[in-house]
Amino acid sequence: MEQLRILGRGATKGCGVCGRRGLFRRWVHMEEHCPRCGLEFEREEGAFVGAVGINTIVSFGLLLLGMIVFFIATYPDIPTGPWVFLVALAYAPIPFFLYPFSNTLWLAIDLVMRPVTDDEIRPRDEWT
């Protein structure tokens, strides 16, 4: 049950440990530590490669779903040409929109796979 709580927090842009929201200074710039519990978000070098993978898979999945719906709706006279550019323009903001969600979700998945240790939670005065 605790794993579902951690994943739910991550899916809603919250800290997987304490649930704190507001982890991003800007849409794509995540804080280094949780303002409430002090968890360092980059738990190891390259920690957010999984977040890029989640973002890519979900983004392409949505693109594929949209294209399938479009092809079914316009079959048998499937238009090409300008529609390709319109689909690309409509799709372009999706990875940008999903970026913070994929970061916190990946952090939550990492916390479920490798539970947090006491040395990963540091008080504010020890942040570097």
Side-chain angles (χ1 to χ4, degrees):
M1 192 63 174
E2 181 65 22
Q3 289 88 0
L4 289 177
R5 181 179 300 151
I6 292 170
L7 293 173
R9 289 173 176 169
T12 57
K13 295 192 326 182
C15 173
V17 174
C18 68
R20 167 73 188 254
R21 305 285 188 258
L23 305 178
F24 291 82
R25 284 183 237 154
R26 293 186 190 95
W27 190 257
V28 296
H29 188 78
M30 189 173 187
E31 298 285 350
E32 293 181 16
H33 298 86
C34 176
R36 181 184 292 156
C37 70
L39 174 69
E40 185 173 2
F41 294 132
E42 191 167 344
R43 299 176 72 197
E44 61 185 17
E45 190 71 30
F48 288 108
V49 171
V52 173
I54 288 174
N55 195 336
T56 303
I57 290 167
V58 172
S59 296
F60 281 132
L62 290 173
L63 176 63
L64 179 64
L65 181 66
M67 291 177 68
I68 289 171
V69 168
F70 176 75
F71 288 152
I72 290 172
T74 59
Y75 185 80
D77 298 320
I78 300 171
T80 57
W83 287 101
V84 172
F85 295 107
L86 291 175
V87 168
L89 285 174
Y91 169 75
I94 290 175
F96 180 75
F97 172 76
L98 293 176
Y99 179 80
F101 296 97
S102 64
N103 265 5
T104 54
L105 180 60
W106 179 252
L107 177 63
I109 291 169
D110 189 36
L111 288 169
V112 168
M113 292 188 305
R114 295 182 311 120
V116 69
T117 60
D118 291 338
D119 62 329
E120 290 181 281
I121 306 269
R122 297 184 296 161
R124 184 179 291 267
D125 58 339
E126 293 181 15
W127 295 356
T128 55

